[in-house]
Amino acid sequence: MKNLIAGNWKMNLLPGGVAGYAERFLPQVRDLAGVVDLLVCPNFPALAPAVEAFRNTPVAVGAQNMHQELSGAHTGEVSGTMLHDLGVGWVILGHSERRHIYGETDALILAKLKRAHELGLRPIVCVGELLEERERGETEQVLRRQFAESLAGVGSELLEKTTVAYEPVWAIGTGKTATPETAQEAHRLLRNQLEEKIGTAAKGIRILYGGSVKPENAAELLAQPDINGALVGGASLDPDAFAAIARAGA
Ligand code: PEP
């Protein structure tokens, strides 16, 4: 299975800066086509320029969130239909910032996941424990709950088409990376849950690691047997650093 290296730009970079980013990034990754899958997830206003800048390149474009309804009176929200219409192929759902800052629940994330699949968008669903939960020894329990309530309810067939991202909240944007062993342990737990649900097909599901991935630590994280790619925040804002991580994933 090819690694997926995905960049989450969060609320950073301007729509007007996308073409310059692509110009710098693309020459460094052109030869990775077919070896590693690449994805950038810009903010909503930067999606259209990103679709344009990465057309006919090895880089796919995804959104960082979407609303679960198709349309309607939801001021300030963006629907999956709008993403699809723009030519966006992927969407991140249930990022820890959505869960913990904006109060998104497992049930809401599941509703978004169902909608994304219905529209043919490729979803990446994030799970991960808080520092307090890890310190209380609750990591497995949290991952089991998030898996059961925000992922498994989609049914086996669609679960097989879902990408999972393990992002321990204490490692996001903090500079603290999970050690490769700690990350592998959590990824194994998630793989086991996938196996319980869909049997051997679980082997084909990508589980990305996210949490302060940088060019310096990417290779050893990606060498773990159950880590199938990375979801990169801060380091994806720099096209050179993101290209170095992409190369580590190849
Ligand atoms: C993220 O937000 O998905 C993330 C992993 O951020 P960072 O790489 O900055 O820790």
Side-chain angles (χ1 to χ4, degrees), residues 33-54:
V35 183
V36 64
D37 287 334
L38 299 171
L39 173 68
V40 289
C41 300
N43 53 69
F44 287 131
L47 284 171
V51 168
E52 191 53 41
F54 293 109

Side-chain angles (χ1 to χ4, degrees), residues 58-166:
V59 183
V61 176
Q64 300 169 16
N65 183 29
M66 58 172 250
H67 196 274
Q68 68 280 13
E69 298 295 336
L70 293 173
S71 63
H74 296 287
T75 303
E77 292 290 332
V78 171
S79 73
T81 2
M82 294 165 187
L83 300 178
H84 190 262
D85 186 67
L86 273 182
V88 168
W90 292 73
V91 62
I92 300 172
L93 299 175
H95 188 277
S96 67
E97 287 151 18
R98 300 300 318 170
R99 289 176 183 267
H100 299 295
I101 306 175
Y102 299 102
E104 293 198 3
T105 60
D106 286 317
L108 178 68
I109 295 158
L110 178 60
K112 292 183 180 198
L113 177 60
K114 288 181 177 164
R115 187 66 83 188
H117 277 305
E118 185 187 309
L119 294 169
L121 291 165
R122 302 178 73 177
I124 300 174
V125 178
C126 305
V127 296
E129 78 287 1
L130 296 164
L131 181 60
E132 314 78 280
E133 292 166 335
R134 174 161 284 270
E135 286 175 347
R136 287 198 299 262
E138 293 170 5
T139 300
E140 177 163 2
Q141 200 180 317
V142 170
L143 294 181
R144 278 196 175 276
R145 191 201 68 230
Q146 291 178 337
F147 177 80
E149 294 175 14
S150 58
L151 271 149
V154 82
S156 308
E157 211 178 297
L158 294 179
L159 192 54
E160 284 175 32
K161 295 185 187 149
T162 303
T163 299
V164 181
Y166 169 63

Side-chain angles (χ1 to χ4, degrees), residues 8 10 95 97 167 171-173 210-213 231-234:
N8 172 13
K10 308 194 185 184
H95 188 277
E97 287 151 18
E167 298 211 308
I172 296 182
S212 301
V213 176
L231 182 52
V232 186

